[in-house]
Structure formats: C-alpha cells, structure tokens
C-alpha cells in the first residue's frame, strides 16, 4: 500500500514555505542566538581536540576565531532579520530566514578570508628582505590563503550559517496564524 502523494496546490504546501512570525516569548531570541553560536562540529572538535594556543595572535586556533566571530555575527544577523521584517515583512518563511543567514554567512566568510589573505600578504611584504623575496612571499600567501583557503572558508561559513538559520527559524519563529479575509470590507486594509 503506497502512501498518498502530497498535494502542492498552494505555495504554503511546499516544504519551508509556511508563513512565520516571531515567537512572543522573551527567551526565544537569546536561546536561538546561543543555539546558533554553538555549532555542533565546532563545539565537538573543541571538546575532543582542545586548542594548543588560547592566546589571541597569529597562532590562535582557528576554531576559537570562528566561535568568537559567531558570537558577534549571530546576534547581528538576528537583528538584521528583525529590521528587515519590520521594514518589508520579509523574510516571511522559515526557508527565507535560512537562506538569508546562508547568504550573509557565505559573504561574511568570503570577505573575512579575503581580508586575512591581504593582511598576510602585507605582513609577508614587510617581513621580506628584498623585492624578489617579497614577490615570492606574496605568491605563496595568495596561493595558500586565497586560492586554497577561500573555498574552505566559504564552505565553513555557509555550513555555520545554515545551522544558525535553522536554529533561528525553528526557535525564534512560530507558524503565523492564517490571515482573515476581509469579506465585508470592514477591516480597512490591515488584513
């Protein structure tokens, strides 16, 4: 006996397309932020393989940097979503919320990795003894941090942002009540 095929007569029937609104409890947004910051692969690897260097600097563990960036970026992302929803009413679905976080997370990761590559090039140029050594340092740095590091950084950023988006969409938002149709014309356009 085969199960019934789902019907997709309306957009709301598609996965992730249910209209949502903010959860009305005070703890929902901070809970979504804390859950979003605590990306499971990051937390598990920190517990299994503790960092060798906790001191901020060139040799700090990259997982600590990602965790610190997440602690800043997740609340900022939730604030940006709130402002966007207040102004335009979008994103209005769980899928839209997840996509916003993934877009912003990928862009943030790409921008920060590019900034790191440029800073490393400048450090290599300043530390080099002559022009040829500086060119060699620049080439190596751009190959490592730019060509090889950029796709990895974007992958990590989008993965982290996917987790944050799912946490925000399911913890900070609830399905919106159905809209009431103004059948008699007495609601004045607020419906």
């Amino acid at each position: 006996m085969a199960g019934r095929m789902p019907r997709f007569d309306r957009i709301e029937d598609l996965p992730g397309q249910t209209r949502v609104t903010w959860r009305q409890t005070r703890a929902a947004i901070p809970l979504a932020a804390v859950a979003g910051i605590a990306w499971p692969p990051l937390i598990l690897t920190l517990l299994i393989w503790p960092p060798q260097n906790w001191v901020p600097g060139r040799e700090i563990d990259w997982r600590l940097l990602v965790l610190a960036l997440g602690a800043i970026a997740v609340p900022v992302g939730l604030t940006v979503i709130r402002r966007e929803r207040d102004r335009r009413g979008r994103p209005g679905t769980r899928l839209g919320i997840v996509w916003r976080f993934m877009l912003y997370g990928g862009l943030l990761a790409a921008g920060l990795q590019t900034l790191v590559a440029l800073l490393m090039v400048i450090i290599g140029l300043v530390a080099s003894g002559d022009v040829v050594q500086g060119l060699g340092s620049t080439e190596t740095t751009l190959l490592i941090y730019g060509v090889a590091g950029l796709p990895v950084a974007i992958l990590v950023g989008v993965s982290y942002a996917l987790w944050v988006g799912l946490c925000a969409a399911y913890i900070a938002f609830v399905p919106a009540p159905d809209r009431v149709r103004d059948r008699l014309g007495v609601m004045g356009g607020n419906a």
Side-chain angles (χ1 to χ4, degrees):
M1 302 257 170
R4 294 182 63 204
M5 292 293 293
R7 294 191 57 176
F8 299 116
D9 295 338
R10 303 175 305 155
I11 280 242
E12 291 82 18
D13 296 334
L14 295 171
Q17 293 298 322
T18 304
R19 308 286 306 159
V20 293
T21 186
W22 288 99
R23 194 176 294 266
Q24 296 302 315
T25 61
R26 288 197 158 174
I29 294 174
L31 184 63
V34 169
I37 293 167
W39 185 38
L42 193 62
I43 301 301
L44 287 175
T45 58
L46 282 171
L47 292 175
I48 294 170
W49 299 288
Q52 296 294 325
N53 191 358
W54 292 81
V55 179
R58 282 182 70 178
E59 300 298 321
I60 191 168
D61 194 329
W62 68 271
R63 298 170 298 171
L64 295 175
L65 285 176
V66 170
L67 192 62
L69 285 171
I72 296 168
V74 171
V76 169
L78 284 167
T79 304
V80 168
I81 293 289
R82 179 175 286 281
R83 272 198 221 134
E84 189 175 355
R85 280 186 57 88
D86 289 345
R87 270 191 321 220
R88 297 187 345 203
R90 301 242 185 247
T93 63
R94 293 187 199 275
L95 187 61
I97 293 163
V98 172
W99 274 107
R100 290 296 196 292
F101 273 102
M102 288 177 63
L103 173 70
Y104 296 148
L107 290 174
L108 178 65
L112 288 176
Q113 184 62 27
T114 303
L115 183 66
V116 165
L118 291 174
L119 288 174
M120 295 304 285
V121 164
I122 292 169
I123 290 171
L125 285 172
V126 169
S128 63
D130 59 2
V131 175
V132 176
Q133 187 180 10
L135 290 175
S137 170
T138 299
E139 176 192 15
T140 304
T141 302
L142 287 178
L143 282 173
I144 293 171
Y145 290 98
V147 175
L150 189 61
V152 174
I154 292 172
L155 182 66
V156 169
V158 169
S159 300
Y160 198 161
L162 172 64
W163 170 258
V164 174
L166 289 171
C167 288
Y170 284 97
I171 296 173
F173 290 90
V174 294
D178 291 331
R179 290 184 178 165
V180 178
R181 289 182 36 202
D182 186 13
R183 296 179 188 214
L184 299 175
V186 295
M187 296 174 91
N190 292 344

